[in-house]
Amino acid sequence: NAGVTQTPKFRVLKTGQSMTLLCAQDMNHEYMYWYRQDPGMGLRLIHYSVGEGTTAKGEVPDGYNVSRLKKQNFLLGLESAAPSQTSVYFCASSATGVGYEQYFGPGTRLTVT
Amino acid sequence: AQSVTQPDIHITVSEGASLELRCNYSYGATPYLFWYVQSPGQGLQLLLKYFSGDTLVQGIKGFEAEFKRSQSSFNLRKPSVHWSDAAEYFCAVGEVDYKLSFGAGTTVTVRA
């Protein structure tokens, strides 16, 4: 039981390049979330999903897209990376019924030059 | 939207001393409150949570937190810190769709 995994762990992009971050969970959770963490700002929600095939915008969605084609996977895409997207990205998941208690992945450190 | 304030950016405490981290929230109804810990280079781990009932909740690693509705606070405490408690601590409040709104975090340094 791996919990929540994220791929890759580190990435360096040049401005304008694109990439996709993969999040996978093996707990059969309905809800999944993407956050970014920046110094002094805590975690800010980018996008989230309340079930397979659904996505919704969070607090800071601009410049990102997401997809949830399979229940266990939640993908975060950057179509044209900008230096302002340099951050640590965390994925999390939670179960319905219990709610709220989110389980986090180890994070992806992204640098955009 | 809900908001969470952690007034202390950084706290330094001696090993064996007590620790208290402050958290204030704004929310109209009874909130769902959480404390998470993040060790360097790691993801977040849930320490404890408050949904209802007893206002003093116990968590893992010897931590406890007290919900005080009159003060809109949910402060985290530990009677005696260990060097391994050095980490960043986040308070969070639950929102609709099971989202969480996080505070900016408090970094704890433990000195020998």
Side-chain angles (χ1 to χ4, degrees):
Chain A
N1 189 336
V4 180
T5 58
Q6 293 183 233
T7 308
K9 289 185 168 51
F10 303 93
R11 186 71 186 269
V12 178
L13 287 179
K14 294 186 186 302
T15 298
Q17 288 184 322
S18 63
M19 77 164 295
T20 299
L21 282 65
L22 171 63
C23 175
Q25 53 95 3
D26 60 4
M27 296 174 283
N28 202 35
H29 285 171
E30 288 292 332
Y31 292 72
M32 296 187 75
Y33 312 84
W34 275 107
Y35 295 91
R36 60 177 290 172
Q37 183 180 30
D38 303 291
M41 303 188 75
L43 276 76
R44 293 181 292 168
L45 183 65
I46 304 170
H47 286 282
Y48 66 102
S49 169
V50 300
E52 181 178 314
T54 74
T55 62
K57 294 180 180 180
E59 181 185 355
V60 288
D62 294 341
Y64 304 95
N65 57 75
V66 288
S67 65
R68 183 104 182 264
L69 299 179
K70 293 183 178 180
K71 185 177 184 179
Q72 63 268 34
N73 296 336
F74 195 29
L75 279 62
L76 177 70
L78 286 73
E79 291 185 346
S80 179
S84 60
Q85 294 178 303
T86 293
S87 187
V88 181
Y89 292 85
F90 287 99
C91 176
S93 69
S94 67
T96 54
V98 175
Y100 292 114
E101 181 172 343
Q102 295 183 12
Y103 295 81
F104 283 80
T108 295
R109 184 174 294 276
L110 175 66
T111 302
V112 182
T113 61
Chain B
Q2 281 51 259
S3 69
V4 178
T5 302
Q6 294 181 244
D8 304 304
I9 297 173
H10 189 199
I11 287 179
T12 299
V13 61
S14 297
E15 192 169 14
S18 63
L19 174 68
E20 181 167 12
L21 304 182
R22 296 182 291 165
C23 173
N24 294 98
Y25 65 90
S26 67
Y27 190 71
T30 300
Y32 292 171
L33 295 162
F34 303 79
W35 275 100
Y36 281 84
V37 61
Q38 183 182 29
S39 298
Q42 304 295 315
L44 278 70
Q45 180 184 21
L46 180 68
L47 281 176
L48 49 78
K49 59 189 177 188
Y50 172 78
F51 282 6
S52 65
D54 192 345
T55 56
L56 185 64
V57 293
Q58 303 297 321
I60 62 171
K61 305 186 181 192
F63 284 91
E64 65 178 26
E66 186 171 13
F67 169 61
K68 292 186 177 180
R69 183 188 302 277
S70 62
Q71 299 178 17
S72 296
S73 69
F74 188 56
N75 294 350
L76 182 71
R77 299 192 293 253
K78 185 169 185 177
S80 177
V81 300
H82 186 262
W83 63 266
S84 60
D85 294 322
E88 190 162 18
Y89 292 80
F90 293 95
C91 183
V93 63
E95 299 193 24
V96 295
D97 282 343
Y98 300 112
K99 294 181 290 183
L100 292 178
S101 181
F102 287 86
T106 299
T107 300
V108 173
T109 298
V110 180
R111 58 182 175 220

